[in-house]
Amino acid sequence: MKKLSARRRHPLAALVVLLFALVASGGLYAAFAPAEKAQADSSAQSLAIDEGKRLFAVGCSSCHGLNGQGTTMGPSLVGVGSAAVDFQVGTGRMPAQQPGAQVPRKQPIYSQPEIDQLAAFVASLGPGPVTPTKDQYTATETDAIAKGGELFRTNCSQCHNFAGAGGALTQGKYAPSLENVDPKHIYEAMQTGPQNMPSFPDSTMPEKQKQEIVAFVRYQANEAPNPGGLSLGSLGPVTEGLFGWIFGLGVLIAIAIWVAAHTTKAKKS
Amino acid sequence: MSQDMSDDKLPQAHGAGEGHGDVAAADNPFADPGLPPHEPRRTDIDERAAKRAERQVSLLFIVSMLATVGFIASYVAIDPSKIVYVFPLGHINALNFALGMTLGVALFCIGAGAVHWARTLMSDVEIADDRHAIEADDDVRADVIQKFKTGAAESGFGRRKMIRNTLIGSMALVPLSGVVLLRDLGPLPEEKLDVTGWKEATPTNPIRLINMNTNLPMKAEDIGVGSLTFAKPGPSALRPGGLQESDEDFQEAIATDALMLVRLQPTDIKDPQSAALGFEGVLAYSKICTHVGCPISLYEQQTHHALCPCHQSTFDLSDGARVIFGPAGHPLPQLKITTDASGYLIATQDFTLPVGPSFWERNA
């Protein structure tokens, strides 16, 4: 350091500093600039949009309109973003089989590459939430599950039940169980608010909190120990009471009948 | 006397039903057949069978004792956080399982032993015990009535009217002391039921709305159409730090101050009064149900209905939170909100209606 500062007034010092600055800015530019590869990406992107448009025309346009503008049968898809498509098609909810109070989850009809193409087309209609990457929905901190549990109880448990088992809403609508839902789809649902679920955008629930909720839901579904055993679907006191009254009392009554039916008399009649 | 009369009215019963059934008269098909002949049990006639039953009962009681010892041993020995897999219960806390099983076996064996004892060894000879009238006989009744009359006359209760009346008066007044003590049930609620933590908000000293998730103030553009956000009051004169979960009275305060923030397309809002209380379609409703005060937040963003999980009261948030189903008697109170110079959502006054369940002195 001393050597360096001693030579700061050397005639060539300015030249050396200039050289360093040029190398640094050039390097930074090379690192961040949209290179030729990015252009190749964008052509792949427009290919995907074209493919997606073709798939959309066949599978979706009868309800959502040829340009996704919406019809009386289905809402406009302008501005719903690729995340909404990835959720709706990826969980099999779309394409819907029939109108009803709520479109149920089913086996997905499209493959993931097809879903990505559809998503690319719908995303091209207007800006909206983007399909999250794995980094976005995977929590890294060790206390994520605990924090996620708190957030889940504040924001989600009123509809999805304290253990994510789901619950009923009005007129045939319901909050589905979260047990076997892909982490990506949980994240997308919070981002986009599918069907009657309200959305929880990043402006009111930052990405990190969504990660924590995803971590909690996965923990609850997979690893969370159940100290009592036999959760009975985690549906709360109604199922537990029903089980106690029907099975518990039923077994006791059966034992009483069995005892009374067997005589102790020496001469069996 | 009455017994005599009833006997007179039932001449048929005489003679026919005397004793047990084997002497039932052929002319009375409803005669008491009496008890069947007594059949001995194996344990009554075979001493070895009796001994075996005795051993079985004792064995059950001994198993119960061992199970109790096991209960205590499991309580001492098993690590409370240990999880084991037990078919068909799944993964279960080992201590819970051991305690439940041992206590269950201990209680069951006492019961099973008692039942087995009663069935095999205690006497099972059938006994008939005739019913008899409950009332005492005439002599006893006359004696008691006579004694009561003598006592009443000697006390002078009927004759000395002043004593009688003052006694009645004193007895009637004593319970009043208990009624007065009811005042000690607590301080009067005063205005507590009518106001919330937002009461400090004035146009000059507004209170910011704080996001429950981030603990930060929000701008109107943060609240997207179709989103749901929960909010609490920010710093005010009374609470310079804003309402925080670490506050001692947090639960009490959030039970009245909690807000549910939704944003509707302004064209979807049917009630112009409600639209005016909001800010560009952002509406701030109380999160507390007006029925019995459950936190209500089952929000359906397409129908704009909010549903209470306790008794299914449903409120239409696009129509001033009108009750459209269920037992709630009032719409959800709405907080008037606007934005300050920096664009943050603020409240400039308290709720105009009392939050939560109705009460006697409710004005509106």
Side-chain angles (χ1 to χ4, degrees):
Chain A
M1 211 56 208
K2 234 176 201 173
K3 241 183 193 172
L4 206 66
S5 82
R7 290 183 187 171
R8 70 188 191 279
R9 296 193 192 284
H10 193 274
L12 286 178
L15 193 68
V16 171
V17 169
L18 196 68
L19 255 170
F20 269 116
L22 277 173
V23 169
S25 59
L28 279 174
Y29 177 80
F32 289 111
E36 291 112 278
K37 200 165 166 280
Q39 279 166 12
D41 258 5
S42 94
S43 77
Q45 183 70 10
S46 62
L47 256 178
I49 292 172
D50 282 349
E51 282 300 315
K53 185 166 186 171
R54 218 161 294 149
L55 286 168
F56 189 88
V58 174
C60 320
S61 60
S62 55
C63 297
H64 291 292
L66 269 171
N67 294 309
Q69 76 276 25
T71 68
T72 48
M73 296 287 292
S76 160
L77 299 183
V78 176
V80 299
S82 55
V85 179
D86 194 67
F87 175 85
Q88 297 283 1
V89 186
T91 59
R93 287 181 168 83
M94 289 290 145
Q97 281 172 329
Q98 58 196 16
Q102 185 162 332
V103 181
R105 187 181 169 193
K106 60 179 185 288
Q107 201 59 36
I109 287 172
Y110 292 98
S111 67
Q112 191 59 47
E114 288 172 328
I115 295 170
D116 293 342
Q117 289 165 352
L118 276 172
F121 168 66
V122 172
S124 74
L125 300 175
V130 180
T131 312
T133 59
K134 199 168 166 54
D135 293 347
Q136 277 178 285
Y137 55 79
T138 312
T140 45
E141 264 116 85
T142 44
D143 59 352
I145 293 169
K147 283 185 179 167
E150 233 165 85
L151 289 163
F152 185 87
R153 286 184 285 277
T154 308
N155 294 285
C156 321
S157 63
Q158 67 266 35
C159 297
H160 287 287
N161 158 308
F162 59 93
L169 292 170
T170 63
Q171 297 174 351
K173 296 184 282 286
Y174 58 90
S177 162
L178 304 178
E179 204 186 325
N180 295 312
V181 185
D182 192 274
K184 182 173 72 166
H185 293 148
I186 301 174
Y187 189 96
E188 287 166 347
M190 288 188 273
Q191 245 183 338
T192 61
Q195 304 200 40
N196 260 304
M197 173 170 165
S199 61
F200 297 87
D202 287 353
S203 53
T204 53
M205 184 190 276
E207 185 177 298
K208 188 160 168 290
Q209 297 194 327
K210 289 201 190 70
Q211 289 173 1
E212 287 162 353
I213 289 179
V214 169
F216 172 76
V217 172
R218 295 317 299 152
Y219 171 79
Q220 184 67 38
N222 295 329
E223 310 146 48
N226 182 3
L230 211 63
S231 67
L232 303 176
S234 300
L235 292 179
V238 173
T239 42
E240 286 159 21
L242 207 63
F243 185 84
W245 282 96
I246 292 178
F247 286 90
L249 271 185
V251 165
L252 290 182
I253 290 170
I255 291 175
I257 291 172
W258 182 84
V259 166
H262 287 74
T263 176
T264 49
K265 300 290 187 196
K267 200 173 90 183
K268 310 284 182 197
S269 53
Chain B
M1 203 167 100
S2 60
Q3 274 171 328
D4 293 346
M5 276 172 69
S6 68
D7 277 351
D8 290 341
K9 282 180 187 165
L10 296 166
Q12 274 305 100
H14 257 294
E18 212 72 38
H20 288 307
D22 37 359
V23 291
D27 61 332
N28 186 357
F30 301 114
D32 179 7
L35 292 167
H38 176 68
E39 290 276 354
R41 296 168 299 191
R42 201 112 187 241
T43 45
D44 294 331
I45 45 183
D46 182 355
E47 186 53 28
R48 274 174 50 220
K51 281 271 180 222
R52 191 165 62 238
E54 189 185 353
R55 282 197 299 275
Q56 286 165 344
V57 172
S58 313
L59 180 71
L60 282 167
F61 290 155
I62 289 168
V63 170
S64 168
M65 285 188 244
L66 292 177
T68 302
V69 173
F71 179 92
I72 297 167
S74 338
Y75 184 84
V76 174
I78 297 178
D79 173 13
S81 59
K82 193 177 174 201
I83 302 287
V84 291
Y85 181 82
V86 179
F87 180 82
L89 304 176
H91 290 280
I92 181 171
N93 184 305
L95 181 61
N96 282 354
F97 180 71
L99 294 184
M101 287 304 285
T102 48
L103 189 62
V105 167
L107 291 173
F108 179 82
C109 285
I110 291 176
V115 169
H116 195 50
W117 181 13
R119 279 166 57 82
T120 54
L121 295 173
M122 287 184 188
S123 167
D124 74 335
V125 179
E126 297 82 358
I127 299 169
D129 198 356
D130 292 331
R131 292 185 192 170
H132 55 82
I134 297 167
E135 61 190 21
D137 63 47
D138 292 346
D139 288 348
V140 175
R141 291 164 71 193
D143 187 39
V144 169
I145 290 167
Q146 187 51 47
K147 276 181 181 153
F148 179 79
K149 281 184 176 156
T150 316
E154 282 173 356
S155 73
F157 190 76
R159 193 159 56 86
R160 299 192 194 278
K161 295 241 163 50
M162 193 162 74
I163 289 180
R164 188 194 66 186
N165 292 348
T166 47
L167 175 65
I168 291 173
S170 62
M171 301 274 278
L173 279 183
V174 162
L176 277 184
S177 49
V179 174
V180 169
L181 287 180
L182 289 178
R183 176 63 182 79
D184 277 4
L185 284 176
L188 289 173
E190 308 290 343
E191 54 154 32
K192 225 164 148 190
L193 295 170
D194 292 299
V195 300
T196 69
W198 299 95
K199 66 174 185 287
E200 302 295 314
T202 59
T204 47
N205 282 316
I207 301 182
R208 278 181 179 171
L209 276 61
I210 304 291
N211 185 338
M212 291 287 284
N213 289 341
T214 58
N215 216 8
L216 294 170
M218 290 166 285
K219 295 189 172 178
E221 62 260 34
D222 295 340
I223 317 287
V225 171
S227 70
L228 173 67
T229 315
F230 302 118
K232 58 181 183 175
S236 64
L238 219 66
R239 260 183 224 275
L243 181 59
Q244 298 296 339
E245 276 184 43
S246 50
D247 289 356
E248 201 180 319
D249 59 345
F250 174 77
Q251 298 296 348
E252 203 183 328
I254 200 70
T256 60
D257 305 353
L259 286 186
M260 170 166 56
L261 281 180
V262 296
R263 186 170 202 157
L264 276 53
Q265 294 288 3
T267 47
D268 283 348
I269 304 177
K270 295 174 210 154
D271 181 357
Q273 225 178 334
S274 166
L277 288 175
F279 178 78
E280 290 176 4
V282 180
L283 307 178
Y285 285 106
S286 163
K287 195 187 172 185
I288 312 302
C289 185
T290 54
H291 177 220
V292 285
C294 294
I296 161 175
S297 50
L298 285 77
Y299 174 57
E300 300 176 356
Q301 57 115 341
Q302 289 176 338
T303 57
H304 314 306
H305 293 172
L307 174 70
C308 179
C310 294
H311 305 97
Q312 285 72 48
S313 292
T314 310
F315 302 85
D316 186 351
L317 300 194
S318 66
D319 194 7
R322 187 170 57 88
V323 183
I324 53 173
F325 180 80
H330 300 275
L332 294 173
Q334 192 180 352
L335 188 68
K336 181 173 166 55
I337 53 167
T338 179
T339 52
D340 61 12
S342 341
Y344 290 112
L345 288 170
I346 51 167
T348 52
Q349 61 181 67
D350 198 358
F351 290 100
T352 48
L353 294 171
V355 160
S358 293
F359 47 94
W360 276 354
E361 303 87 343
R362 196 177 193 276
N363 295 317

